[in-house]
Amino acid sequence: MEFFNDVGDDPLKPTLFELVAQEQLRDLLQPALKYVLSVFAQSYPRYLLRIVNRHEEFYALLMFFVERHYLRTQGASFAENFYGLKRRRVPLFKTDRARSASGGVFPEEKLRDREIWRSLIFLVGLPYVRAKAQDYFEELGGGVQTEILEDSRQAPEDESWKGRVKKAYKAAYPWLNTSFEIWLLVYNVAYLFERTAYYRPWLSWVGVDLRRVSADDLRAAQAGAPRSPRPPPKGFTAVLKHLLRRCPRLFLDSLKVLLPTAIFFIKFLEWWYSPLSPARSLAVSPAGPAVPPPRLLLSHSQGIQADDIEYGVCPLCRDALSNATALPSGYVFCYRCAHDYVEKHGRCPVTLLPARMWQLRKILV
């Protein structure tokens, strides 16, 4: 598998699979953090409910400080640094072969403020804009099937210019999003076959390319570390100031270990407590074996005979179930059929058992 391990004659050029892996890690951070905040918000809604409701803004602000710290100190984003990658500023003129053979990290390859701020636009700003666009599309009813709604009657269309803009956005967003994904896929394929040096189209505008961290980078980072630390502070106040000054940087540097560990732990708990977990199936319930479901009641002689009705057909209208609703007897009807019949007769049309309006239960499949 040399084709996938080495990219051409450049051993420091990362493969497409490394780049995709670091992007998947970055995309996993937001839902994992939202899941943790949602769980704790149930116990502390007074403090965390507002953060959960404005999660996109909170996550964008948090990742702005995290990504800026890693870009300034490590020359890479958080996910890129986790996978041993870095961002190299592309020089206007290629270095000569003799200088490249000498090794080392050249000063002109380090990121400047311009490259850092441009990188932050696509590391933080672009995911935030895409998340808000997806939320607005879902808010307009995009992707929701009308048959699962309680009332299938369509609301009157808004003929104002705002309504026309919303309708145009709802129709155009899926095509724009698909076109954007295809654009990224084309660049991935081109990068895989060495047709371009950038796996993302905006990296050329940012002026950087992605490289593997080499031994020269590690030696340069070790040489840049302070070798003669200051004497330890004396006194409680001085020690406290020293800790407060160093805590943010230590916390940000430890994120590359804490966040993946937290994500693994959350996914493990999610699997452990899922109904399909093998660990739960082996556990013996203290309440004894599971209670079997009740038997289906037989049809009344004076009621509707539902024995010869096919699965998924309403016994009343003899048509496919629309917005399936169950009665206390266990039989399933269309919502409108069950609503009208129970409102008029107050009983199940099959078993003739008493039924009330509040006992109607919708079935979401």
Side-chain angles (χ1 to χ4, degrees), residues 13-34:
K13 184 178 181 180
T15 62
L16 177 63
F17 306 100
E18 294 176 88
L19 301 175
V20 172
Q22 63 90 16
E23 279 208 346
Q24 290 179 346
L25 173 61
R26 187 176 59 198
D27 296 339
L28 190 61
L29 295 178
Q30 183 173 2
L33 180 60
K34 187 175 183 179

Side-chain angles (χ1 to χ4, degrees), residues 277-330:
S277 173
R280 296 198 64 179
S281 62
L282 297 176
V284 179
S285 175
V291 178
R295 295 182 179 180
L296 185 65
L297 299 178
L298 299 178
S299 303
H300 196 274
S301 58
Q302 299 180 359
I304 298 177
Q305 300 300 319
D307 298 336
D308 57 341
I309 297 178
E310 298 180 359
Y311 178 80
V313 177
C314 176
L316 286 174
C317 64
R318 302 287 175 162
D319 200 354
L321 289 173
S322 176
N323 201 358
T325 303
L327 295 183
S329 60

Side-chain angles (χ1 to χ4, degrees), residues 159-228:
E159 297 297 338
S160 63
W161 66 272
K162 291 184 178 180
R164 290 194 295 267
V165 170
K166 292 180 180 179
K167 185 178 180 180
Y169 176 83
K170 183 179 177 181
Y173 175 78
W175 295 97
L176 295 176
N177 189 48
T178 304
S179 303
F180 183 78
E181 294 293 341
I182 294 176
W183 187 35
L184 299 184
L185 179 61
V186 169
Y187 261 82
N188 286 344
V189 176
Y191 181 86
L192 181 63
F193 290 97
E194 300 185 14
R195 299 298 182 182
T196 178
Y198 309 99
Y199 88 107
R200 284 292 178 260
W202 50 78
L203 289 180
S204 59
W205 178 77
V206 176
V208 298
D209 60 355
L210 295 181
R211 310 283 292 175
R212 291 172 179 162
V213 176
S214 62
D216 294 331
D217 297 306
L218 298 178
R219 283 193 291 266
Q222 186 177 5
R227 298 187 177 182
S228 56

Side-chain angles (χ1 to χ4, degrees), residues 126-175:
L126 181 61
Y128 171 75
V129 172
R130 294 193 65 187
K132 298 300 291 186
Q134 178 67 25
D135 291 345
Y136 187 65
F137 174 71
E138 296 177 356
E139 182 182 345
L140 295 178
V144 178
Q145 300 179 0
T146 57
E147 58 267 16
I148 68 175
L149 299 178
E150 178 178 350
D151 195 353
S152 59
R153 292 174 297 179
Q154 296 182 356
E157 296 185 0
D158 188 3
E159 297 297 338
S160 63
W161 66 272
K162 291 184 178 180
R164 290 194 295 267
V165 170
K166 292 180 180 179
K167 185 178 180 180
Y169 176 83
K170 183 179 177 181
Y173 175 78
W175 295 97

Side-chain angles (χ1 to χ4, degrees), residues 46-62:
R46 181 179 180 182
Y47 305 101
L48 298 178
L49 189 58
R50 293 183 179 179
I51 297 179
V52 174
N53 294 335
R54 309 288 295 181
H55 175 73
E56 285 78 11
E57 288 75 12
F58 171 76
Y59 180 77
L61 182 63
L62 177 64

